[in-house]
Amino acid sequence: MALVLNIETATTNCSVSLSKNGETLVLKEDNSLGYSHAETLHLFIDEVFKIAKIKPSEIDAVAVSKGPGSYTGLRIGVSSAKGLCFALNKPLIAISTLESLACQVKIDDGFIIPMLDARRMEVYAAIYNSNLELEREIKAEILTEESYMSLLETNKVYFIGSGVTKTKALIQHPNAVFIDGKLPSANEMSSLAEIKYKKSDTEDVAYFEPYYLKDFVALKKKA
């Protein structure tokens, strides 16, 4: 029965929630500002505490989306979470970005493929079953017309996340269900953080790093 601050900054959605016993009490998020997390994240954190009328010292833990996702976004979210944990002497919980994204889909049969847009025709994706159990680990993969065909031939497959746009342009199959306009949110982190808190599944605050999946590549500015 934990009171947890949840932070999600892996994509353009800057999202913060405060949850109790796995249920979201307050949610503050905005996807319209792009990657402005450095300017908005702490404002959102302050706001959820004020709305809930809870002091930061009253929380039991801080949960953060660990990736994969935007290098800069993850750095900002994890740095903020670690700073709060140090200042408040609270444990740090790391939540898979793709797992929380998959939690937005409720199905009885089939598979869920949460995916985040990467460079060109690449996505970061994983495969979950209808019980939200991981069927295939997270990969950075290049999409083709044959991607996921072995699943699609015999199952409904639900695609969700920022990688959906490029996926539905390639994959044409009656068993493919594309869920547009969805990004990872701190709302779905609430239940996942509660499960980890009960198991004391926490991170070493000093050494924890985001799960980037791929090395950061700095691009040169165009002349």
Side-chain angles (χ1 to χ4, degrees):
M1 297 178 63
L3 187 62
V4 181
L5 178 71
N6 304 285
I7 297 172
E8 166 59 69
T9 57
T11 66
T12 53
N13 190 29
C14 185
S15 182
V16 179
S17 73
L18 195 63
S19 60
K20 185 176 183 180
N21 304 337
E23 298 290 333
T24 299
L25 298 177
V26 182
L27 174 67
K28 176 66 177 179
E29 61 185 359
D30 195 333
N31 181 40
S32 66
L33 303 174
Y35 287 105
S36 61
H37 306 330
E39 293 79 24
T40 57
L41 178 58
H42 287 284
L43 295 176
F44 286 5
I45 292 172
D46 289 341
E47 189 168 342
V48 297
F49 279 127
K50 288 177 181 177
I51 293 172
K53 298 180 180 179
I54 290 172
K55 296 178 182 178
S57 59
E58 295 180 70
I59 63 173
D60 296 298
V62 178
V64 67
S65 181
K66 69 178 181 179
S70 157
Y71 181 91
T72 302
L74 289 171
R75 292 297 297 178
I76 292 169
V78 170
S79 295
S80 298
K82 290 171 73 170
L84 286 165
C85 289
F86 274 123
L88 301 172
N89 192 29
K90 304 296 181 181
L92 176 67
I93 298 170
I95 303 295
S96 165
T97 305
L98 293 181
E99 183 177 7
S100 65
L101 180 57
C103 286
Q104 295 186 31
V105 184
K106 308 299 181 185
I107 57 174
D108 294 323
D109 296 292
F111 294 91
I112 304 165
I113 301 183
M115 50 172 47
L116 298 179
D117 192 6
R119 300 186 190 95
R120 300 181 181 88
M121 293 309 298
E122 193 171 33
V123 294
Y124 302 139
I127 300 174
Y128 291 84
N129 62 27
S130 58
N131 295 318
L132 292 174
E133 298 166 332
L134 189 64
E135 290 282 337
R136 196 213 69 189
E137 73 279 7
I138 299 169
K139 290 183 179 180
E141 54 189 319
I142 297 173
L143 294 171
T144 71
E145 294 178 354
E146 299 302 315
S147 295
Y148 312 116
M149 279 300 159
S150 60
L151 287 180
L152 287 163
E153 288 302 324
T154 54
N155 303 274
K156 284 285 188 182
V157 179
Y158 299 78
F159 298 89
I160 184 172
S162 60
V164 163
T165 301
K166 64 173 64 172
T167 304
K168 68 180 180 180
L170 279 176
I171 297 177
Q172 308 292 325
H173 197 285
N175 279 337
V177 180
F178 299 102
I179 303 170
D180 289 302
K182 298 294 185 179
L183 291 174
S185 169
N187 185 48
E188 283 71 36
M189 292 177 65
S190 298
S191 58
L192 298 174
E194 177 73 10
I195 293 169
K196 284 203 163 190
Y197 182 82
K198 287 180 177 179
K199 294 179 180 179
S200 297
D201 186 357
T202 59
E203 306 294 331
D204 186 314
V205 178
Y207 295 102
F208 176 73
E209 290 290 332
Y211 177 50
Y212 298 118
L213 191 58
K214 289 172 53 175
D215 293 334
F216 174 67
V217 178
L219 300 176
K220 293 181 180 180
K221 290 185 178 181
K222 294 182 179 179

